[in-house]
Amino acid sequence: MLKRHVVIKAKRINPKINVKIDYKTLVFFTLMVCGVILGVFISEKGSDEWHSFFTTVIKSYLHFEENKSVLVIFSRIFLPFFTLYLITYLVGMCGMGVPFLTIIPLILGGYFGVEITQYYINFGLSGIGCCTLIYAPIYAIATATLIKCCCQSFDISKEIFFYLITGKGDGKPIFKEYSLKHLFFLVPIIIGAGISTLFYTLFGDLFSFV
């Protein structure tokens, strides 16, 4: 009796890994990191007047009287990032806005670098703990959101620039679409500021300087 051999042919699996890197996100993130480094360097090398000024700013920024409402705390945390968000939106509607968009992540990084360094200089490790525990949510969420805003503004600004040069466009209502996307980007910043406000009310008493 002949035995039949069964041969099972398996298909070769050729894994295809498509890694798409958004160069705009990478560039804006790199600029933000450079801004952090620059802010730390400037703050470390600052004069006595520099440190005195930022000490006053930080203390006035941190000090909330007992009768201050949660809305006031939220607004102080939210407004710096909303200002950069609004600038990003307005610059994106300019045909020559691309060069100016590169300044925004530098400003954002510089803000982080100066603030964290001054917290450390004035309050030591407690200052770093305060930044990490209370302000980390808004820092992280706002950074990611503003970088995405810069990417979106970059695309629109470039499209407007080519339209001004060539007179040709897709004929799409880009202003409406652009505005709706930016309104969507505003939501994470509001959420991040809300979380930091909550953490401030819960953990602010852990830090003697708050």
Side-chain angles (χ1 to χ4, degrees), residues 26 63 68 73 77 80 131 133 137 141 147 151 160 182 196 207:
L26 184 60
H63 181 66
K68 290 295 184 182
I73 300 173
I77 295 173
C131 288
L133 185 60
I141 295 174
I147 286 176
C151 294
I160 294 174
H182 266 264
S196 288
F207 306 96

Side-chain angles (χ1 to χ4, degrees), residues 158-170:
K158 184 177 66 174
E159 188 171 342
I160 294 174
F161 175 77
F162 282 122
Y163 176 78
L164 294 174
I165 296 298
T166 63
K168 298 179 181 179
D170 296 334

Side-chain angles (χ1 to χ4, degrees), residues 173-204:
I174 60 174
F175 176 75
K176 180 181 179 180
E177 183 180 354
Y178 174 67
S179 299
L180 288 175
K181 286 184 178 180
H182 266 264
L183 281 176
F184 174 78
F185 287 140
L186 183 60
V187 175
I189 300 177
I190 295 174
I191 293 174
I195 295 173
S196 288
T197 301
L198 176 63
F199 284 1
Y200 185 95
T201 57
L202 292 176
F203 306 119

Side-chain angles (χ1 to χ4, degrees), residues 38-58 110 113-115 117-118 121-122:
L38 185 62
V40 170
F41 177 79
I42 292 174
S43 191
E44 284 184 343
K45 303 298 182 181
S47 62
D48 293 338
E49 291 78 10
W50 168 280
H51 293 301
S52 177
F53 170 76
F54 276 98
T55 298
T56 303
V57 170
I58 288 176
V114 169
E115 186 175 27
T117 304
Q118 291 300 140
I121 291 173
N122 286 282

Side-chain angles (χ1 to χ4, degrees), residues 24 28 88-98 101 148-164 168 170 172-182 185:
K24 296 189 296 294
F28 286 126
T88 305
Y89 172 76
L90 295 175
V91 171
M93 292 190 296
C94 176
M96 299 296 294
V98 170
L101 287 173
K148 285 297 182 183
C149 287
C150 286
C151 294
Q152 181 68 21
S153 297
F154 179 92
D155 292 335
I156 298 300
S157 179
K158 184 177 66 174
E159 188 171 342
I160 294 174
F161 175 77
F162 282 122
Y163 176 78
L164 294 174
K168 298 179 181 179
D170 296 334
K172 298 179 181 179
I174 60 174
F175 176 75
K176 180 181 179 180
E177 183 180 354
Y178 174 67
S179 299
L180 288 175
K181 286 184 178 180
H182 266 264
F185 287 140

Side-chain angles (χ1 to χ4, degrees), residues 47-126:
S47 62
D48 293 338
E49 291 78 10
W50 168 280
H51 293 301
S52 177
F53 170 76
F54 276 98
T55 298
T56 303
V57 170
I58 288 176
K59 286 184 177 180
S60 62
Y61 177 77
L62 284 172
H63 181 66
F64 297 102
E65 292 79 4
E66 292 182 359
N67 60 348
K68 290 295 184 182
S69 66
V70 174
L71 184 60
V72 173
I73 300 173
F74 174 84
S75 64
R76 289 191 186 182
I77 295 173
F78 173 73
L79 282 177
F81 301 99
F82 176 74
T83 301
L84 285 177
Y85 161 86
L86 187 60
I87 293 173
T88 305
Y89 172 76
L90 295 175
V91 171
M93 292 190 296
C94 176
M96 299 296 294
V98 170
F100 299 99
L101 287 173
T102 60
I103 301 175
I104 293 172
L106 282 173
I107 295 174
L108 180 64
Y111 172 78
F112 291 154
V114 169
E115 186 175 27
I116 293 172
T117 304
Q118 291 300 140
Y119 270 60
Y120 177 73
I121 291 173
N122 286 282
F123 311 114
L125 293 178
S126 295

